[in-house]
Structure formats: C-alpha cells, structure tokens
C-alpha cells in the first residue's frame, strides 16, 4: 500500500480489514512513516519484503499484497492518509534511495507506465 509504496511503501498504510471494499483497509494508516524512512534498517526490511528478498512483517505482507494494484490505479482505493503516505515514501525513495526506487520500479513497473506519473508529480511540487 505505501510504496507504493512503498511505493508506496510506499505506502505501508494500505492494510487491515475494512467493510468498504472500495478502499484498502485502514488499520495501518497511522504507521509512523517518518520513523520508517529515517531508519535504514527498518526501511530496508520493508523494501526487501516487497522485493521478495526478505521476511515480511504483517504490515509488509499487506503492502506487498496491494502494491501493484495501487501503483497501476494511481492509488484509487487508497484512503487519504494512504495517498499522502504513498507520496511521502515515494518522494523519499526517489530523492534519497535511488537504487531501491529503481529496484521497485523494475519489479512492479518494468515498462515505467505508472512510476513516471509519480515522479512527474513529485517534480511539480518540489
């Protein structure tokens, strides 16, 4: 959810049971994304999870389950906190973790159909 996240890591906030099936679950909407992106060990743990390179926490599993769809639909099912979290995490990855962003883009959008939108949006607000 957040990668988006993590992508929308980005986006670690796309989780949990929610009666409204038109949105992703909101259980993790209050995850401290600032702490995650500023803690290399924690950030890498989430990134390795969504890249199938490491173990996943429950939040990581939830993120991984929705990341591709969220990327392809420009976060259409995201709650507002998830959309904000996705932008925040992607922005951090694009600016500060270029290699991780490349790996995520290669895995989830090898033709760069969708990540280009996120990158353009970030440039327009920077």
């Amino acid at each position: 959810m957040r990668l988006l996240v993590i992508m929308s890591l980005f986006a670690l906030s796309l989780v949990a049971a929610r009666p409204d099936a038109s949105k992703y679950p909101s259980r993790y909407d209050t995850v401290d994304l600032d702490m995650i992106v500023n803690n290399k060990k924690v950030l890498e743990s989430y990134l390795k999870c969504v890249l199938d390179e490491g173990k996943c926490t429950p939040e990581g599993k939830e993120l991984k389950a929705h990341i591709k769809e969220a990327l392809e639909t420009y976060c259409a099912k995201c709650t507002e906190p998830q959309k904000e979290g996705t932008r925040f995490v992607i922005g951090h990855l694009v600016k500060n973790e270029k290699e991780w962003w490349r790996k995520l883009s290669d895995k989830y959008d090898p033709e760069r159909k969708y990540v280009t939108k996120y990158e353009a949006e970030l440039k327009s607000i920077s």
Side-chain angles (χ1 to χ4, degrees):
M1 293 100 359
R2 287 180 223 106
L3 179 273
L4 263 221
V5 129
I6 76 4
M7 297 176 160
S8 300
L9 283 171
F10 311 71
L12 296 170
S13 59
L14 307 177
V15 208
R18 183 170 226 227
D20 181 0
S22 68
K23 296 287 182 188
Y24 294 124
S26 62
R27 179 173 57 206
Y28 298 113
D29 281 9
T30 58
V31 168
D32 185 351
L33 297 176
D34 193 54
M35 181 281 298
I36 292 171
V37 300
N38 288 302
N39 184 321
K40 286 272 193 200
K41 186 175 181 177
V42 174
L43 178 61
E44 286 183 11
S45 174
Y46 280 107
L47 292 167
K48 286 180 180 180
C49 164
V50 298
L51 289 167
D52 297 319
E53 296 176 1
K55 294 182 182 179
C56 294
T57 62
E59 301 92 343
K61 286 179 185 176
E62 193 71 32
L63 170 62
K64 188 174 168 180
H66 301 290
I67 193 170
K68 186 167 176 54
E69 178 187 49
L71 175 67
E72 292 174 355
T73 64
Y74 203 62
C75 224
K77 291 184 177 181
C78 294
T79 63
E80 281 308 309
Q82 292 165 355
K83 288 178 183 180
E84 291 171 19
T86 298
R87 285 185 205 102
F88 173 75
V89 173
I90 290 174
H92 175 82
L93 294 173
V94 168
K95 293 175 188 172
N96 304 300
E97 306 287 346
K98 291 177 178 24
E99 185 59 24
W100 285 111
W101 177 245
R102 184 195 59 75
K103 286 181 179 184
L104 289 166
S105 299
D106 288 351
K107 178 173 178 74
Y108 290 100
D109 188 15
E111 295 176 16
R112 299 190 51 81
K113 291 182 193 176
Y114 311 105
V115 298
T116 306
K117 288 181 189 178
Y118 289 97
E119 292 170 345
E121 180 181 316
L122 288 169
K123 285 179 186 173
S124 72
I125 59 176
S126 294

